[in-house]
Amino acid sequence: MKLRNFLVVVLVFGGLTALNAQPVVKGDKLLNLGIGLGSTLYSGSYYTSTLPPVSASLEVVVKDGLLDNKAAIGIGGYAGLAGYKYDYQGWGYKYTNIIIGPRGYLHYNFLDKLDTYTGLLVGYDIVKATEFGTAPGWNYEASSSGLIWSWFAGGRYFFNDNLAGMVELGYGIAYLNLGVTFKF
């Protein structure tokens, strides 16, 4: 089934089952699982993805009732993983990136079933690079790990009290993340 058709089915089914979904409140725990589109790490003619960007984050809402009971604050952790390959005529490098770190969230709820948010990640990018092929390298293996930060903005549409579709824009493991959120 094409992605577009799948999304239409999910939205129609979600609209039929979302009768009493509430915005996020203090004590809610939210688990996001996403797949990324658009590399923030490597781009160019000879780069290809070997592992699509995937991410997981867990958030706990620590304060609600802000701005006329429409805003809340959350904190949590994030992990993202992606793999890329630079291949020029059989020679190049394989890269693996793992981004981990804490995130802070500011939620603002415009509609009952729609949770919009923005936030900041300050974390660490663990990079592994390995050379492959026979020319012109010299058995290169290196790491360029370091601190990383990312601003992000997103939205979750709750199909029911515990399940939401997620869209997130930012500068982390990918420019656009699509996925699901489980609230418990």
Side-chain angles (χ1 to χ4, degrees):
M1 182 181 333
K2 291 183 179 180
L3 179 62
R4 180 183 57 128
N5 294 344
F6 174 75
L7 292 175
V8 168
V9 168
V10 168
L11 288 175
V12 168
F13 177 75
L16 295 175
T17 61
L19 299 175
N20 58 0
Q22 300 295 316
V24 296
V25 294
K26 182 177 178 179
D28 283 349
K29 295 168 190 70
L30 302 148
L31 174 64
N32 296 319
L33 301 173
I35 187 160
L37 304 171
S39 172
T40 62
L41 303 170
Y42 306 99
S43 62
S45 299
Y46 301 104
Y47 285 100
T48 58
S49 175
T50 58
L51 175 64
V54 292
S55 63
S57 61
L58 180 63
E59 174 191 3
V60 176
V61 179
V62 295
K63 179 76 175 156
D64 64 3
L66 304 171
L67 301 174
D68 295 328
N69 289 326
K70 291 188 176 197
I73 295 174
I75 59 171
Y78 174 89
L81 172 67
Y84 298 92
K85 180 172 149 182
Y86 174 86
D87 190 342
Y88 180 73
Q89 298 178 352
W91 170 84
Y93 301 99
K94 293 180 183 177
Y95 299 96
T96 303
N97 288 75
I98 301 171
I99 297 175
I100 57 172
R103 297 203 319 173
Y105 300 79
L106 174 62
H107 298 267
Y108 191 83
N109 297 303
F110 293 99
L111 302 170
D112 284 344
K113 296 183 276 183
L114 181 64
D115 171 35
T116 57
Y117 58 92
T118 187
L120 186 65
L121 159 81
V122 178
Y124 198 74
D125 185 7
I126 302 165
V127 181
K128 174 82 170 153
T130 306
E131 182 181 37
F132 66 89
T134 57
W138 53 82
N139 194 20
Y140 171 79
E141 188 172 314
S143 171
S144 59
S145 302
L147 294 176
I148 189 170
W149 70 275
S150 170
W151 166 83
F152 57 91
R156 300 177 184 120
Y157 181 82
F158 282 91
F159 303 126
N160 59 40
D161 288 342
N162 300 338
L163 178 65
M166 178 210 44
V167 175
E168 200 170 272
L169 298 169
Y171 192 82
I173 203 76
Y175 289 119
L176 174 66
N177 286 294
L178 303 173
V180 296
T181 299
F182 301 98
K183 181 167 82 168
F184 50 99

